[in-house]
């Protein structure tokens, strides 16, 4: 019987193959990770937007017109009980709107939420100064009753305007649209990068509902704040943040 010779790869061939695989992996894995991160951030934004919109709709169904919401007599969990019966968007009380929003969300924590060193950054990488259109947004544990954490690990930072609901625009049907509050949401909690337009987004609370933040375009390059990125992404501009990943 004649034995057939078994063919095998030489060591050099194996090393060349492994090198090729390594080069391909080095080129493709970062791209795959970027795609996965972008998809995850967009999904989280859409979830936060849906959650906030549904909460607003539920509040409006229960309490009527936004501008006339009042803290109910059976409100529980308020640190300031003098707010009971007061108008939410007329008393310049941050806790009032926060309580209303919390009442319609699955909240798991309202105290000692943010870890040491937690800091939201703008797109440019600078420290977020805690203001949206000159409205202070509480971002630190110094105002723990205003911020809260939902069951999906999102950090919520609701903040009212300084003087109740303020006129912003006229709708197509001739009615007046008022801006009453802002909501900043860190969609993955303490997990980095904690950056506006990437995993942190801004919503406006108007007399008509919750909408992505409207304002001058600060989501076109890395020098911006990133407040309007939520609107671009929600409105379907899939390439709005391409410049971040270039």
């Amino acid at each position: 019987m004649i034995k057939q010779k078994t063919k095998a790869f030489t060591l050099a061939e194996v090393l060349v193959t492994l090198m090729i695989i390594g080069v391909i992996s080095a080129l493709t894995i970062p791209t795959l990770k970027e795609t996965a991160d972008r998809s995850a951030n967009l999904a989280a934004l859409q979830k936060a937007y849906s959650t906030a919109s549904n909460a607003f709709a539920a509040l409006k169904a229960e309490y009527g017109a936004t501008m006339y919401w009042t803290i109910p007599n059976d409100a529980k969990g308020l640190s300031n009980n003098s707010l009971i019966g007061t108008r939410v968007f007329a008393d310049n009380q941050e806790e009032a709107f926060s309580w209303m929003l919390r009442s319609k969300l699955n909240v798991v924590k309202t105290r000692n939420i943010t870890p040491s060193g937690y800091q939201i950054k703008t797109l440019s990488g600078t420290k977020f100064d805690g203001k949206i259109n000159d409205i202070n947004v509480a971002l630190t544990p110094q105002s723990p009753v205003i911020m809260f954490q939902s069951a999906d690990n999102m950090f919520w930072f609701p903040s009212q305007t300084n003087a109740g609901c303020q006129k912003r625009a006229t709708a197509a049907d001739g009615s007046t649209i008022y801006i009453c509050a802002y909501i900043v949401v860190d969609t993955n909690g303490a997990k980095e990068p904690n950056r506006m337009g990437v995993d942190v987004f801004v919503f406006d609370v108007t007399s008509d509902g919750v909408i992505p933040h409207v304002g001058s375009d600060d989501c076109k390059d890395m020098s911006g704040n990133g407040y309007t990125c939520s609107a671009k992404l929600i409105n379907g501009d899939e390439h709005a943040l391409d410049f971040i990943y270039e």
Side-chain angles (χ1 to χ4, degrees):
M1 180 182 291
I2 300 174
K3 291 185 178 180
Q4 291 183 332
K5 291 184 177 180
T6 302
K7 292 185 178 180
F9 292 109
T10 66
L11 177 60
E13 289 173 328
V14 171
L15 291 175
V16 170
T17 301
L18 291 175
M19 182 177 68
I20 292 173
I21 293 174
V23 171
I24 293 174
S25 298
L27 293 174
T28 58
I29 289 178
T31 301
L32 292 174
K33 183 179 184 306
E34 172 195 310
T35 301
D37 288 345
R38 294 181 71 169
S39 297
N41 289 336
L42 177 58
L45 164 62
Q46 292 170 332
K47 181 178 181 181
Y49 182 45
S50 176
T51 299
S53 297
N54 290 338
F56 179 92
L59 287 168
K60 197 169 183 180
E62 183 172 352
Y63 297 102
T66 314
M67 293 180 289
Y68 305 110
W69 289 353
T70 57
I71 297 294
N73 293 330
D74 60 352
K76 293 180 174 56
L78 284 168
S79 65
N80 181 4
N81 288 327
S82 66
L83 290 176
I84 291 177
T86 62
R87 190 177 297 178
V88 172
F89 295 119
D91 299 298
N92 195 26
Q93 292 286 349
E94 301 295 333
E95 187 185 356
F97 174 52
S98 179
W99 185 91
M100 296 290 279
L101 188 59
R102 295 199 312 265
S103 71
K104 299 303 178 185
L105 299 183
N106 187 4
V107 176
V108 295
K109 202 172 185 181
T110 60
R111 293 288 191 281
N112 303 317
I113 298 170
T114 55
S116 176
Y118 175 82
Q119 178 61 58
I120 290 178
K121 300 177 287 291
T122 65
L123 270 180
S124 64
T126 60
K127 178 180 177 181
F128 173 51
D129 64 5
K131 290 186 177 182
I132 302 292
N133 289 4
D134 295 325
I135 305 304
N136 289 316
V137 178
L139 294 173
T140 67
Q142 281 69 44
S143 301
V145 75
I146 300 173
M147 65 165 294
F148 55 86
Q149 180 181 354
S150 51
D152 48 14
N153 198 39
M154 293 188 184
F155 288 172
W156 296 75
F157 305 93
S159 183
Q160 293 183 214
T161 61
N162 288 327
C165 297
Q166 301 173 4
K167 181 177 180 180
R168 169 142 96 186
T170 301
D173 61 3
S175 61
T176 300
I177 298 176
Y178 293 85
I179 175 72
C180 301
Y182 301 99
I183 304 173
V184 176
V185 186
D186 189 331
T187 57
N188 57 7
K191 184 179 178 181
E192 293 284 350
N194 303 326
R195 178 168 289 194
M196 288 285 183
V198 181
D199 58 343
V200 183
F201 301 98
V202 183
F203 302 118
D204 298 346
V205 178
T206 75
S207 51
D208 277 0
V210 176
I211 61 173
H213 180 65
V214 177
S216 57
D217 187 1
D218 58 8
C219 185
K220 54 188 176 183
D221 55 46
M222 292 302 293
S223 67
N225 289 321
Y227 303 159
T228 57
C229 290
S230 55
K232 287 189 172 183
L233 292 171
I234 288 294
N235 292 330
D237 187 348
E238 296 179 358
H239 301 288
L241 300 184
D242 282 355
F243 61 86
I244 293 178
Y245 301 95
E246 291 176 349

